[in-house]
Amino acid sequence: MRKIVHVDMDAFYSSVEQRDNPSYRGKPLVVGGSPNQRGVVAAASYEARKFGIHSAMPSVTAFAKCPGLIFVRPRFDVYREISAAIHAIFKRYSDLVEGVALDEAYLDVTENKQNITYASTIARHIKTAIFEETKLTATAGVSINKFLAKMASGQNKPNGLTVILPEQAIAFVEQLPIEKFHGIGEVTAAKMHSLGIHTGADLKERLPLELTHHFGKAGHYYYKIARAEDDRPVEANRVRKSIGAETSFARDLSDHSEMLQELEQIAQIVEQRLEQHQTRGRTLTLKVKFSDYQQLTRSKTMLAPISELDTIFKIAKTLFLSIELENRSIRLLGISLSNLDNAKQLQAIQLPLFQNGNIIF
C-alpha cells in the first residue's frame, strides 16, 4: 500500500491574476481569449464559476452568461515560475513527484525525506508553505492510490484537505455518483445512466465483459476503480509523449460548419497547452467519434514542429475535410500533437518505493 498525496491549486491562473491585480479580486474573471476573437476560456475564477463558466468554454458563451465578466490574457511565463516554486516545496518531502499540469501534481510519500509518519501531516505542511510563499491556496487529497487521492482532493475545494483511509475506500467509491468519478465525463456518465449505473455501487455490480462491450478498453479501468483499485505508480520526471484536447458533445453534431467551429475551439485549447508546457509537436492527429461510437483518426507529420493556432487548425481542418462523413453525426472531436520537442524534459523515470507493513495516514 502506498501513501499518495494529490495537490491541486485552487483556480490557479485566475487566482494568480487576482493576486497580482487587486481590482480583480472578488469579481468574475476568466483567463483566456477575447469573445470578439472566438477565444476559449483557459481558467475561470470561483466568482465566474457561479455563472456556470468553466475551462474550454467558448469565450462568447462565457460572456453571454456573465456580461460583466473580466477577460485576461494568459501569462504562462508567470504561471510556470510559480509552478516551479510549488514543485520545489514538493521536493522537500519526496522526489517522487508527478506533475500533471502546472497546477496539479501527485506525490508518493510512502517513504519521505523528513520521515513524517502521517501523509495528512505532509499535505498540511505543503498547503501552508504554498500559501506562505506564493499567497495562493491549494486543495489536497490523501489516500492509498492515485485515483482515490484525486477524488479526495475534489471533495472540499477550495483550500481543503480530505483523507480517504484504506478502510474507507470501498464505501467511499460505492456512494459516489458516477458523474463525479475522475475519468468519466458527461457523455459517458449519461450512457451509464441509461444502463442503470448511477453510483459506484452500481458500477461495481457490472462484469468486465459487459463494461468493455459498452465502453471499450476504458471498461477495464472502470471495473478497477469501482473496487477502489489503481496500481499506477507516481512517475517522477515523466516525459510527456503527446499534448491534446478533445470534446464530447452533449448532443451529436450534424451541421458541418458547427463541426469546424468546435474544431477551431479545440485547436485553441491545444495551443494553450503547448504554451503551458513550452513545447511543439511534429505529428498532428485528428480524432473523430461518430454517434454509433465508431472512431477513426487521421494524422499528418510535418518536417518542422508546430505550436501556432493557425497552423494547428489549418492542418486539423484539412484532415477533417478528407473524411467522408456521409451525413453521419459526430459525438466527439479531438486534436493531439505528438513527436514533441522534449529537449528540456528529463527522461529519467523513478518508480515508487515499496514498503511492507501497515500504512498509517
Side-chain angles (χ1 to χ4, degrees), residues 129-141:
I130 288 174
F131 183 75
E132 290 179 347
E133 297 176 32
T134 71
K135 303 306 177 188
L136 299 169
T137 62
T139 297

Side-chain angles (χ1 to χ4, degrees), residues 185-243:
E186 180 182 352
V187 174
T188 301
K191 184 174 182 181
M192 286 191 174
H193 287 166
S194 71
L195 296 170
I197 302 173
H198 299 279
T199 66
D202 296 333
L203 183 61
K204 188 179 177 183
E205 293 177 356
R206 306 305 171 105
L207 297 174
L209 187 61
E210 180 184 2
L211 293 175
T212 55
H213 171 72
H214 289 292
F215 304 104
K217 293 180 180 179
H220 294 292
Y221 172 74
Y222 301 150
Y223 180 81
K224 294 188 69 174
I225 60 175
R227 288 156 177 77
E229 297 174 2
D230 182 6
D231 55 6
R232 294 173 300 158
V234 173
E235 296 180 330
N237 303 321
R238 178 168 60 93
V239 176
R240 185 177 291 272
K241 296 181 179 179
S242 67
I243 288 178

